[in-house]
Amino acid sequence: MLKTFRLGGVHPHDYKLSRDAAIRIFDIPASVTIPLGQHIGAPATATVQKGDKVRVGDVIGTASGFVSANIHASVSGTVTAVDSVPDGANLRKPAVTIAVEGDEWNPEIDRTDTLVKECTLEPKEIVARIAAAGVVGLGGATFPTQVKLSVPQGKVAEMLIINGVECEPYLTADYRLMMERGEEVLVGCEILMRALGVEQCYIGIENNKPEAIKHLNDILSTGSYHKGIHVVPLKMRYPQGGEKQLIAAIAGREVPSGALPIDVGAVVQNVGTTYAVYQAVQKRRPIVDRVVTVTGKKLAEPSNLLVRIGTPVSALIEACGGLPEDTGKVINGGPMMGRAMANIDAPVTKGTSGVLLMPANESVRGRERACISCAKCVEACPMGLEPFLISKLARQGLYDRLERERTADCIECGCCAFTCPSYLPLLDYVRIGKAETLKIIRARQAK
């Protein structure tokens, strides 16, 4: 029997339109705009100024705190601006703009495709290389990877769990990485195991990706990889890619309210992050590009593109056939957790896993009606919350009570809104309630 998590979840159609589209290298644009805040935590501090010459892989922003990440030039050329630019939501954020001149790389970077398997570095050296390379969670959360690998005193990592689930409909970037860069992903697993000092690694993959399950198992059976690496087939169920849900599915351990995965002995990393760890440690290659799924039912050519960070999203859409006439929304990410873009000229960032073009008839919400007390939102919530109650409290501004209802535990998966027959904007108000709850908690902790 296939494993899965116990509580809640939904079963949206997967719409993996680009699953058979091999990764192709996207052309370098004439210029790139690289945001300094591409991660959870403090934005990086710019280390370049207008007129500076940079090469691919040069540091252009340094981490400005423990929870922060370095930023690197994704192209070579001249810095034309260090200024605030509009992001996908049209909010101005600090960024570095570079005019492209050739494609000169930092000489420390190994650009060959030769597989480098052996890693003899000490754990601290591995973490240092990952931090230097600006590696963050590439599944969308963008949490700095070196922070996850710095296990707090008094905590013990017992296992590494690799998220190959990619449960968000439409997205296939991780699937293509497993199919085309499986060996590098497995070496990345070994490096992460070495950094954490664990002997067990579990790669969770849902059973709608049987080719990836077979491919990684075939590599493990024929290559000399760590015997503690296991591929775990999972029942298809959203949001199984959530850290707490994946730990429950694979290890049968429930992360308590307010706790972190390390509190139950687990560290979770995304497939894309694991590949980036291989590149950072074995090749000294920082994150200068990433695989992005560009997809949609009406899009001419759904694709998986290897894109330089800072490339305009609009250029990706144009390369895949252009914006269909009946496009209602362009989503940064997938349909469940992604955000609608107000500005498609915004740059690709480390967290851009996909770009989804939704037809107009699918991008308009149904007319909001009164709650019929069906409790479908409660049944679907994978965190065991009461979404309608939380949204009602947020509407009424009853923020003190929101904390008692464990609003901060919400993972913003959208299962509640997906199941609601009354088309209530549950997730919108839950997000508002969560933000206010976290403010209350931070204010209390600061006293």
Side-chain angles (χ1 to χ4, degrees):
M1 184 175 176
L2 292 169
K3 293 185 174 184
T4 190
F5 58 98
R6 178 181 61 86
L7 195 63
V10 294
H11 297 270
H13 193 290
D14 62 2
Y15 292 115
K16 304 291 187 180
L17 308 176
S18 53
R19 62 178 297 126
D20 296 324
I23 298 169
R24 58 186 172 100
I25 299 174
F26 190 73
D27 293 338
I28 303 172
S31 69
V32 297
T33 299
I34 304 175
L36 291 168
Q38 299 184 47
H39 46 267
I40 287 177
T45 302
T47 57
V48 293
Q49 56 188 357
K50 184 177 180 179
D52 286 352
K53 298 286 186 179
V54 295
R55 302 163 299 185
V56 180
D58 286 351
V59 175
I60 60 173
T62 56
S64 57
F66 178 62
V67 184
S68 188
N70 289 345
I71 303 293
H72 299 78
S74 62
V75 296
S76 63
T78 303
V79 175
T80 58
V82 180
D83 200 0
S84 294
V85 299
D87 65 5
N90 253 341
L91 301 174
R92 300 189 73 86
K93 302 289 180 62
V96 175
T97 301
I98 304 170
V100 175
E101 298 162 6
D103 192 28
E104 182 184 358
W105 287 60
N106 185 307
E108 292 185 359
I109 298 171
D110 179 358
R111 297 179 61 196
T112 68
D113 286 332
T114 305
L115 181 70
V116 182
K117 288 190 67 174
E118 186 178 8
C119 177
T120 58
L121 297 177
E122 293 298 316
K124 287 185 178 180
E125 295 175 299
I126 292 173
V127 174
R129 285 200 185 183
I130 290 169
V135 180
V136 300
L138 297 185
T142 65
F143 194 83
T145 302
Q146 78 274 8
V147 179
K148 268 194 177 183
L149 298 177
S150 302
V151 178
Q153 190 171 2
K155 308 290 184 183
V156 178
E158 299 174 28
M159 70 185 78
L160 170 67
I161 294 178
I162 303 299
N163 180 2
V165 172
E166 202 164 39
C167 60
E168 182 82 52
Y170 289 96
L171 304 187
T172 58
D174 287 347
Y175 170 74
R176 292 312 312 177
L177 271 177
M178 289 187 284
M179 295 299 296
E180 300 180 41
R181 293 289 184 264
E183 291 181 306
E184 290 90 338
V185 168
L186 292 176
V187 175
C189 291
E190 293 183 324
I191 293 169
L192 288 167
M193 292 171 72
R194 186 178 181 87
L196 291 166
V198 300
E199 293 298 318
Q200 298 299 319
C201 170
Y202 303 96
I203 305 172
I205 307 175
E206 287 190 329
N207 66 333
N208 64 337
K209 306 173 188 67
E211 300 89 351
I213 294 170
K214 181 180 184 302
H215 182 58
L216 293 188
N217 272 326
D218 287 347
I219 297 174
L220 287 172
S221 66
T222 57
S224 54
Y225 291 94
H226 194 291
K227 298 303 180 184
I229 300 176
H230 314 278
V231 177
V232 183
L234 300 170
K235 183 179 179 181
M236 184 181 166
R237 190 177 181 187
Y238 178 87
Q240 198 147 229
E243 282 191 331
K244 295 182 179 181
Q245 285 68 41
L246 191 56
I247 293 168
I250 289 178
R253 300 182 182 183
E254 298 289 341
V255 181
S257 176
L260 297 171
I262 192 62
D263 292 314
V264 295
V267 174
V268 182
Q269 299 288 356
N270 169 262
V271 159
T273 310
T274 306
Y275 177 70
V277 164
Y278 165 81
Q279 295 274 49
V281 175
Q282 304 296 73
K283 301 285 188 174
R284 289 187 177 273
R285 177 180 174 134
I287 297 184
V288 296
D289 53 18
R290 69 153 297 149
V291 180
V292 180
T293 298
V294 185
T295 185
K297 292 179 182 177
K298 301 295 182 68
L299 188 66
E301 190 179 356
S303 304
N304 297 293
L305 306 175
L306 183 62
V307 183
R308 299 287 179 102
I309 301 298
T311 302
V313 168
S314 55
L316 277 60
I317 296 171
E318 195 61 34
C320 295
L323 199 68
E325 288 186 6
D326 68 339
T327 300
K329 285 182 181 178
V330 177
I331 307 292
N332 181 358
M336 297 296 287
M337 295 187 72
R339 302 291 183 101
M341 298 186 69
N343 170 29
I344 63 171
D345 290 322
V348 168
T349 67
K350 296 176 185 180
T352 307
S353 56
V355 177
L356 170 62
L357 281 60
M358 294 189 70
N361 66 326
E362 294 185 10
S363 61
V364 179
R365 288 178 175 172
R367 182 177 61 86
E368 182 178 344
R369 299 193 291 265
C371 173
I372 60 173
S373 301
C374 65
K376 285 187 176 181
C377 61
V378 177
E379 183 180 353
C381 180
M383 297 304 298
L385 306 178
E386 298 184 56
F388 175 72
L389 174 60
I390 292 172
S391 68
K392 185 176 180 180
L393 294 173
R395 286 190 192 221
Q396 296 175 349
L398 301 175
Y399 299 126
D400 288 337
R401 187 177 168 191
L402 282 168
E403 183 176 356
R404 297 198 298 274
E405 298 298 333
R406 300 191 296 116
T407 306
D409 285 349
C410 173
I411 61 172
E412 303 181 27
C413 63
C415 287
C416 54
F418 179 81
T419 60
C420 181
S422 294
Y423 302 108
L424 298 176
L426 296 173
L427 180 58
D428 303 63
Y429 283 102
V430 171
R431 279 176 170 156
I432 292 171
K434 179 181 175 180
E436 292 300 325
T437 300
L438 291 173
K439 284 182 185 178
I440 294 169
I441 292 172
R442 284 194 292 266
R444 184 170 62 245
Q445 292 173 343
K447 291 181 180 178

